[in-house]
Amino acid sequence: MSEMNIRTLKQISGLYAYVGLFILMMSLSLAAQSSNPVIIIPGITGSELVNKNNGHTVWFRVSKSKTDDLRLPILADPTRMHDSLVARDLLRSVKISILPKFDVYGGLIDSLVTRGGYHEESWDKGRGADKALYVFAYDWRLDNVTNARLLVGKVEALKRRLKKPGLKFDIVAHSMGGIIARYAAMYGDADLVAEGRAPQPTWAGARDFNELVLLGTPNEGSALALNSLINGLRLGGIKIDLPFVRSMSKFDVFTIPAAFQLLPAPGTLNAYDEKLKPLNIDLYDPKVWAKYGWSPFDDKGFSEAFSSGEKRNIDIYFATVLSRAKRLHQALAVGPKDAKGGVSIHLVGSDCKDALDGIVLYQEKDKWKTLFKPSGFTTSDGQKVSSDDVKKVIIGPGDGTVTRRSLEATTESFITKIASILFPKSSKFVCEEHDRLQTNSEIQDYVISIISGKPVEPAAKPAGEKTIPPVVKPLFSN
């Protein structure tokens, strides 16, 4: 072979090598830019609420505001209930006096940024798409469908501004935030169908969303919400183990539509009589609330708790807010008959912590008592029922707040006679408390691996690191 031919072959080989290298670099570049933007949705009480007129923070703050409270003004239509409070940001951390700062959602954001390569952007000013991170702060007191429609509106507006009509977002949602995400994916900007009509998912949200990662979402609701509506305190935001910290009364919680939408879904409440035999109870019938003494109307402080105008609306509000809660559960319980429009659901939770999974009802001196804790009692015929016996029927495995049954929607799937109303693409269970799921490094790694599409090396803990028991214990998401 002549020297010229050899030289020509070398040139051709070099050209092919250059082209191959160019193609490889382009492929890597495209792969690096393939991650969808991600949205973090906190749970109930997980967003800061401020007075839009003066900028004063109302939630979260230790002491009660002198000018504002968290109670919404009662109207006949729960979807029209608003006041001067607006959501400013999700709760990144909480600091109380000299106590250590408590991480809420800040650690999750930091993990996505430092370990996942994401960059936080603003809904109004950000120009980011690839690996952009957005937080959806919302007024967690409001109707969940209202907030789901708000989420869809913000996403669609951002897509128009970015001039990316085909852009899809991944969602990481904690607790009640998962209810909002699911409804947005299944129904888009549509409101609930009228009572008596069968809901039919359109999966309109599939044009906006791709992966939904649900952390401790009460997909079947929780008996803790019933406890909050009857007794207050438990749902009123963040429970803090200090005596001087604010709490919420049953009257406060009664004005929060979202609290009703966390009640156990129709047909899923485990209720038992004094013999620990199952009871069939319709939580969405106001007459049932009156029968068992759950209604705030029967409380001696009712008249002073609400204005005359609110009391005129209260009966229709109560019936309507229960109806919307029931219809929301029914809308979410319609399992996908075919593909879910490209939306994938991932479940993350825990099943190593005791969680409230039912209630016991018994009569004492002609008054109904509702047990939310494993406490012993005496039946009407003098029989003793031990706390251990009660525990066997009302406590189940979960994350301390949400049961595994609710996260996986096991009962609703059984009722609808399908394998699962969720059909999760993946599930992961880590032994963790509900309010710490989003702060758990193993879960953070798992979340990053799902939304980035590649495995992540486990985060290394600094030598000598100690876990500080939380002073603030968020409840439903908190």
Side-chain angles (χ1 to χ4, degrees):
M1 183 178 293
S2 67
E3 182 178 341
M4 182 177 295
N5 289 337
I6 294 174
R7 189 183 309 117
T8 301
L9 286 173
K10 286 183 177 180
Q11 290 174 343
I12 293 173
S13 298
L15 178 61
Y16 275 122
Y18 176 79
V19 171
L21 180 61
F22 176 77
I23 292 173
L24 176 62
M25 294 296 290
M26 285 298 294
S27 299
L28 291 174
S29 176
L30 289 173
Q33 297 178 10
S34 63
S35 294
N36 295 328
V38 64
I39 302 170
I40 296 178
I41 306 179
I44 192 167
T45 73
S47 298
E48 294 179 345
L49 299 181
V50 301
N51 187 314
K52 63 183 179 182
N53 298 321
N54 55 31
H56 290 170
T57 299
V58 179
W59 183 263
F60 170 74
R61 56 182 292 159
V62 173
S63 58
K64 189 172 183 177
S65 169
K66 295 180 180 179
T67 57
D68 298 287
D69 59 36
L70 294 171
R71 185 182 299 189
L72 285 166
I74 287 182
L75 300 175
D77 182 356
T79 65
R80 299 175 63 86
M81 289 166 50
H82 298 277
D83 55 16
S84 60
L85 302 189
V86 294
R88 177 172 58 189
D89 190 13
L90 49 66
L91 280 178
R92 296 172 187 255
S93 62
V94 171
K95 182 75 171 69
I96 303 174
S97 186
I98 62 173
L99 298 172
K101 183 182 292 186
F102 175 72
D103 177 32
V104 184
Y105 293 103
L108 174 61
I109 294 172
D110 291 343
S111 180
L112 287 172
V113 171
T114 59
R115 307 193 64 247
Y118 288 82
H119 50 94
E120 189 171 357
E121 296 280 356
S122 163
W123 289 98
D124 300 323
K125 299 178 181 179
R127 305 300 303 175
D130 175 57
K131 282 211 164 184
L133 188 157
Y134 296 88
V135 300
F136 179 62
Y138 62 96
D139 187 341
W140 40 264
R141 303 170 301 164
L142 306 183
D143 176 89
N144 277 311
V145 176
T146 299
N147 280 319
R149 300 177 74 183
L150 175 63
L151 171 65
V152 172
K154 290 177 77 72
V155 167
E156 292 287 346
L158 178 62
K159 288 167 64 172
R160 288 193 297 270
R161 187 166 61 77
L162 295 177
K163 297 180 179 179
K164 293 181 178 292
L167 185 64
K168 288 193 176 186
F169 293 73
D170 295 332
I171 290 180
V172 180
H174 182 219
S175 198
M176 190 178 76
I179 301 296
I180 294 171
R182 285 182 60 206
Y183 189 89
M186 294 174 71
Y187 296 94
D189 186 40
D191 196 1
L192 292 165
V193 298
E195 191 166 3
R197 291 183 57 191
Q200 182 58 54
T202 61
W203 292 99
R207 64 175 177 262
D208 296 323
F209 309 119
N210 188 35
E211 309 285 347
L212 305 186
V213 186
L214 310 183
L215 310 181
T217 294
N219 289 303
E220 289 185 349
S222 171
L224 280 176
L226 179 61
N227 187 19
S228 304
L229 285 158
I230 295 173
N231 299 311
L233 303 177
R234 287 287 299 177
L235 183 63
I238 295 181
K239 177 186 176 185
I240 303 176
D241 299 324
L242 294 171
F244 57 82
V245 173
R246 64 178 299 167
S247 62
M248 289 182 73
S249 72
K250 60 163 46 170
F251 303 121
D252 296 328
V253 182
F254 183 76
T255 71
I256 297 177
F260 290 91
Q261 293 172 345
L262 291 174
L263 286 169
T268 69
L269 174 66
N270 287 333
Y272 303 90
D273 63 15
E274 64 174 11
K275 299 295 186 180
L276 304 186
K277 301 297 183 183
L279 285 173
N280 185 18
I281 292 178
D282 182 2
L283 286 178
Y284 299 92
D285 182 353
K287 294 179 182 178
V288 171
W289 290 65
K291 173 181 177 179
Y292 291 112
W294 297 340
S295 171
F297 311 149
D298 301 327
D299 193 288
K300 61 182 180 181
F302 171 75
S303 294
E304 297 179 358
F306 299 100
S307 68
S308 58
E310 287 179 316
K311 282 183 279 191
R312 283 194 296 269
N313 290 321
I314 211 156
D315 286 330
I316 189 169
Y317 161 74
F318 188 34
T320 304
V321 78
L322 284 174
S323 171
R324 283 192 67 84
K326 180 179 182 178
R327 285 182 284 142
L328 173 57
H329 278 300
Q330 290 171 335
L332 294 174
V334 181
K337 295 180 180 178
D338 302 306
K340 294 171 287 187
V343 177
S344 298
I345 293 176
H346 305 265
L347 301 178
V348 182
S350 173
D351 58 4
C352 70
K353 307 289 184 181
D354 286 347
L356 184 64
D357 196 30
I359 60 173
V360 170
L361 289 158
Y362 68 97
Q363 285 186 294
E364 183 178 273
K365 297 180 180 179
D366 296 326
K367 291 186 67 176
W368 283 99
K369 297 288 185 178
T370 307
L371 283 182
F372 292 98
K373 294 181 179 180
S375 303
F377 64 95
T378 302
T379 65
S380 56
D381 59 4
Q383 299 295 312
K384 297 289 186 180
V385 180
S386 71
S387 58
D388 286 340
D389 289 335
V390 174
K391 182 176 181 179
K392 290 176 183 177
V393 297
I394 71 169
I395 300 297
D399 59 19
T401 297
V402 175
T403 62
R404 177 166 181 162
R405 175 171 75 97
S406 181
L407 172 65
E408 296 184 311
T410 305
T411 306
E412 285 186 303
S413 300
F414 176 79
I415 292 172
T416 54
K417 298 179 180 180
I418 59 176
S420 173
I421 65 170
L422 300 171
F423 284 99
K425 186 177 180 180
S426 71
S427 298
K428 184 176 181 63
F429 289 85
V430 175
C431 188
E432 187 58 271
E433 293 280 353
H434 180 75
D435 55 290
R436 306 299 294 168
L437 291 171
Q438 75 278 15
T439 70
N440 183 289
S441 60
E442 183 179 351
I443 291 175
Q444 291 172 353
D445 291 343
Y446 183 69
V447 168
I448 294 172
S449 70
I450 290 173
I451 60 179
S452 66
K454 57 184 179 181
V456 178
E457 289 296 323
K461 289 188 176 182
E465 178 183 352
K466 295 182 179 180
T467 301
I468 301 175
V471 174
V472 181
K473 182 180 176 61
L475 293 172
F476 264 97
S477 89
N478 312 337

